[in-house]
Amino acid sequence: MIPDGDKFVSDFKSGKLAMTCEYGFAALTAYECDYEIGWAPMPTGPSGQKYDCGGALTGFSIPVTSKNPEGAAVFIRMAYELQHEFDSKDQVEKYGQDQVDLMNTLKEHIKFSPIGIEKYWDANWTIHSGLIEGTPVSTFATNADEQIKEGAAITLGQ
């Protein structure tokens, strides 16, 4: 782990780092270079399965054995709100209100789906492959949305 979390950006821009994978606000700064960059498909995993893709898991949880789940929920909400307030202010200072508004508009249209429902990974692959193949967003988003709805109906027994 590098203490400077953004060091990879300066390494990428200076040519010390040959490849990086970024999205959202990080991509706005990482890909502003004085030289031409190219795009490569995501590598497959050790098994060679085409469904392997990059991602991150973040969030809070409350164990079933928690002695104070209500207190934990209040703490989580407080921590999230403080982090959100800090991030919002920081993003406006770094990128300007117009860019933040654009990113927030995109964020409002992203659908969340719990991993436990049927068709989750199918929808994930529909979005991932749509991005890689250059499929219009409206097409792959609609297809993934239909898969999520179908999966929710299967999971909930409807």
Side-chain angles (χ1 to χ4, degrees):
M1 298 299 291
I2 301 169
D4 174 9
D6 291 334
K7 186 174 185 317
F8 75 94
V9 174
S10 60
D11 285 352
F12 181 74
K13 289 181 176 189
S14 70
K16 292 179 183 176
L17 179 65
M19 182 180 279
T20 185
C21 179
E22 278 305 314
Y23 62 94
F25 282 114
L28 291 175
T29 56
Y31 300 136
E32 290 176 352
C33 301
D34 294 335
Y35 53 88
E36 187 176 335
I37 60 171
W39 300 93
M42 292 289 292
T44 59
S47 64
Q49 292 176 332
K50 69 177 187 174
Y51 276 61
D52 290 345
C53 63
L57 296 174
T58 58
F60 296 97
S61 65
I62 303 172
V64 295
T65 58
S66 174
K67 293 185 195 272
N68 184 359
E70 294 84 5
V74 169
F75 175 79
I76 289 169
R77 176 164 292 285
M78 179 194 69
Y80 172 78
E81 289 172 351
L82 288 170
Q83 185 66 50
H84 180 70
E85 182 181 320
F86 172 83
D87 288 344
S88 296
K89 181 181 176 194
D90 185 56
Q91 290 169 349
V92 169
E93 288 174 8
K94 284 182 180 174
Y95 309 110
Q97 189 65 53
D98 289 344
Q99 289 295 318
V100 171
D101 290 344
L102 285 172
M103 194 61 70
N104 286 338
T105 298
L106 175 63
K107 180 176 73 175
E108 290 169 10
H109 292 87
I110 293 173
K111 298 185 187 301
F112 171 77
S113 171
I115 291 176
I117 70 162
E118 292 289 330
K119 306 282 185 179
Y120 172 84
W121 293 110
D122 296 311
N124 188 30
W125 180 248
T126 296
I127 293 168
H128 179 72
S129 61
L131 288 167
I132 298 265
E133 295 165 2
T135 305
V137 174
S138 60
T139 301
F140 70 73
T142 298
N143 293 341
D145 188 48
E146 290 170 5
Q147 289 172 311
I148 293 293
K149 288 176 183 173
E150 180 186 356
I154 292 168
T155 302
L156 298 172
Q158 301 172 347

